Amino acid sequence: MSRFFSDKYAALTPYVPGEQPKNQQYIKLNTNEFPFAPPQAVVDGAKTEAGKLQLYSDPECTQFIEKAAQVWGVKKTQILATNGSDEILNFAFMAFCDKNHPIAFPDISYGFYSVFAELNGVPYEKIPLKADFSVDYRDYIGIGKNIVIANPNAPTGLALSRAQVEEIVKSNPDNAVIIDEAYVDFGGESCVPLVEKYDNLLITQTFSKSRGLAGARLGLGIACEGLIADLNTIKYSTNPYNVNRMTMAAGYAALCENEYYKTKCAEICKTREDTSNALKEMGFEVLDSKTNFLFAQTDKISGKALYEKLKENGILIRHFNGGRIDNFNRITIGTKEQMDVFLKKTAEILKEKE
Ligand SMILES: *Cc1c(COP(=O)(O)O)cnc(C)c1O
């Protein structure tokens, strides 16, 4: 730290992204990316815009937002596009949270929530998951704080129903409730239909997981017009051209290919069920995932040792150190072929331990 670093950030512990190896070829099952390359139309969209990079991007993201409004069935004024959904989450912390408007979220969830809270000087409460790692929606009823919940949750993969989320939103009418739907396309129940009814609900989604554009950085928020207007105030006060030309064109083309992504997500869900069953047969406990990853443990080998052994064998999964989830690993669902290699290596590692 230099002597110029502001006191307000001195205690900040930044988010630690999953490993993104540069040299060795790994089977990458550690950051929940989509395992398929973008369709040609998406690549072509980005390429066309590459030749116009001397010009700023459209700050209003007009074409993209029009298409997104159609796809999600809301008004154009109810959507904001951002540089990944991490950006809209940060905007929401900036817009709706402060010393007098603290926020609550599950103790085991997306690591960025506490980082955004600390970055923005927002007091936060971590509400423990139940013993089975589910979110108990009743813990959030009428708590009178802002709330952010990943639904389905990460890294557990477990989901709340729309009716349960509605109870939370309804019972905290004077607080913003942010539902992070990064994984909703893999079997969750989206709460987008609720934004018509509640002026305190913000839904965030991302193109990084179910639309395979993690490297492009594209996310969005859907809410009533008032919340989106506030988030736009933050956007135009930080980075008006937050979505670059190539990304916007790729995102637009991806929305035009909706059927392709639906088919691929269904394929990933099928592979997830097959992988889950195979792990259970090997003696793993596997949580009931509604996402593109599995959260699993076994008493035959520690979470950390399995992670390390697989890495030696060219397979990356995600291990989170410490606490109640120390023995678990989060395993992204890749292609069927990748999961076959993962299962084979895992079986070999368990056999060595016997
Ligand atoms: C991956 C992820 C995000 C954000 O991803 P972006 O790449 O920034 O869009 C947000 N929330 C959760 C729970 C995630 O897993």
Side-chain angles (χ1 to χ4, degrees):
M1 193 192 307
S2 83
R3 64 204 159 88
F4 305 103
F5 197 47
S6 168
D7 288 344
K8 59 177 195 249
Y9 300 124
L12 191 60
T13 313
Y15 178 73
V16 184
E19 293 163 89
Q20 306 294 352
K22 279 154 205 85
N23 311 319
Q24 208 182 325
Q25 274 301 91
Y26 283 100
I27 293 183
K28 236 182 134 284
L29 308 177
N30 69 329
T31 50
N32 299 342
E33 288 143 323
F34 197 67
F36 308 105
Q40 196 56 42
V42 172
V43 176
D44 290 344
K47 265 192 192 160
T48 305
E49 289 300 304
K52 301 181 202 163
L53 284 176
Q54 77 278 23
L55 302 172
Y56 280 113
S57 59
D58 171 14
E60 292 171 33
C61 305
T62 312
Q63 196 195 27
F64 172 78
I65 297 274
E66 266 172 23
K67 187 72 195 171
Q70 260 176 32
V71 168
W72 275 276
V74 297
K75 289 196 271 225
K76 288 181 281 183
T77 44
Q78 292 182 285
I79 302 189
L80 176 65
T82 52
N83 190 315
S85 63
D86 289 337
E87 186 176 58
I88 194 143
L89 290 167
N90 188 35
F91 284 177
F93 274 79
M94 291 172 77
F96 308 123
C97 304
D98 56 40
K99 270 211 303 290
N100 301 317
H101 299 89
I103 192 159
F105 46 84
D107 65 337
I108 297 169
S109 190
Y110 188 38
F112 238 131
Y113 302 149
S114 55
V115 177
F116 287 140
E118 281 172 24
L119 179 70
N120 293 295
V122 176
Y124 58 95
E125 179 190 358
K126 288 184 167 187
I127 299 183
L129 298 181
K130 288 198 288 198
D132 64 2
F133 295 105
S134 64
V135 171
D136 190 340
Y137 79 97
R138 288 165 297 196
D139 291 341
Y140 296 84
I141 298 298
I143 62 168
K145 288 179 182 173
N146 292 335
I147 294 166
V148 58
I149 295 176
N151 190 44
N153 196 16
T156 62
L158 302 175
L160 293 171
S161 70
R162 185 188 299 153
Q164 291 171 329
V165 172
E166 181 163 11
E167 290 304 314
I168 295 173
V169 176
K170 194 170 29 175
S171 69
N172 292 284
D174 298 323
N175 294 96
V177 178
I178 304 159
I179 301 296
D180 176 349
E181 295 190 346
Y183 298 103
V184 76
D185 295 328
F186 300 102
E189 202 181 356
S190 176
C191 289
V192 168
L194 297 179
V195 301
E196 292 308 324
K197 220 164 140 189
Y198 298 98
D199 68 357
N200 60 327
L201 173 63
L202 169 67
I203 309 293
T204 65
Q205 291 199 5
T206 176
F207 280 59
S208 297
K209 314 285 163 55
S210 59
R211 286 190 170 84
L213 291 178
R217 315 303 305 129
L218 184 61
L220 51 80
I222 300 176
C224 70
E225 290 184 341
L227 294 189
I228 294 298
D230 295 341
L231 292 162
N232 262 311
T233 300
I234 303 291
K235 161 180 150 155
Y236 282 96
S237 307
T238 49
N239 188 7
Y241 307 105
N242 62 336
V243 182
N244 75 70
R245 283 181 168 272
M246 294 169 71
T247 293
M248 224 179 313
Y252 175 81
L255 290 180
C256 298
E257 302 279 315
N258 228 4
E259 285 310 309
Y260 166 82
Y261 291 101
K262 270 197 191 146
T263 307
K264 286 300 184 194
C265 286
E267 188 177 324
I268 291 167
C269 291
K270 167 80 169 68
T271 307
R272 174 186 74 207
E273 294 318 302
D274 293 346
T275 308
S276 172
N277 289 335
L279 283 172
K280 284 176 187 165
E281 266 169 39
M282 278 186 233
F284 279 83
E285 175 196 358
V286 188
L287 301 196
D288 176 27
S289 171
K290 294 277 187 278
T291 62
N292 66 338
F293 58 81
L294 292 171
F295 202 50
Q297 72 166 346
T298 172
D299 53 17
K300 295 181 181 169
I301 187 169
S302 78
K304 187 144 194 276
L306 178 60
Y307 158 79
E308 283 167 354
K309 285 273 177 200
L310 282 169
K311 189 170 176 183
E312 284 167 23
N313 281 279
I315 300 170
L316 276 184
I317 58 174
R318 187 98 196 247
H319 177 255
F320 299 90
N321 270 320
R324 273 204 281 164
I325 58 172
D326 195 56
N327 205 45
F328 279 83
N329 277 296
R330 191 192 69 188
I331 304 138
T332 303
I333 303 301
T335 62
K336 194 177 167 331
E337 294 72 27
Q338 289 176 322
M339 300 325 283
D340 285 345
V341 177
F342 159 78
L343 288 168
K344 184 164 167 279
K345 289 291 175 197
T346 301
E348 284 170 20
I349 291 164
L350 291 189
K351 201 147 183 53
E352 269 171 36
K353 292 275 294 179
E354 272 170 11

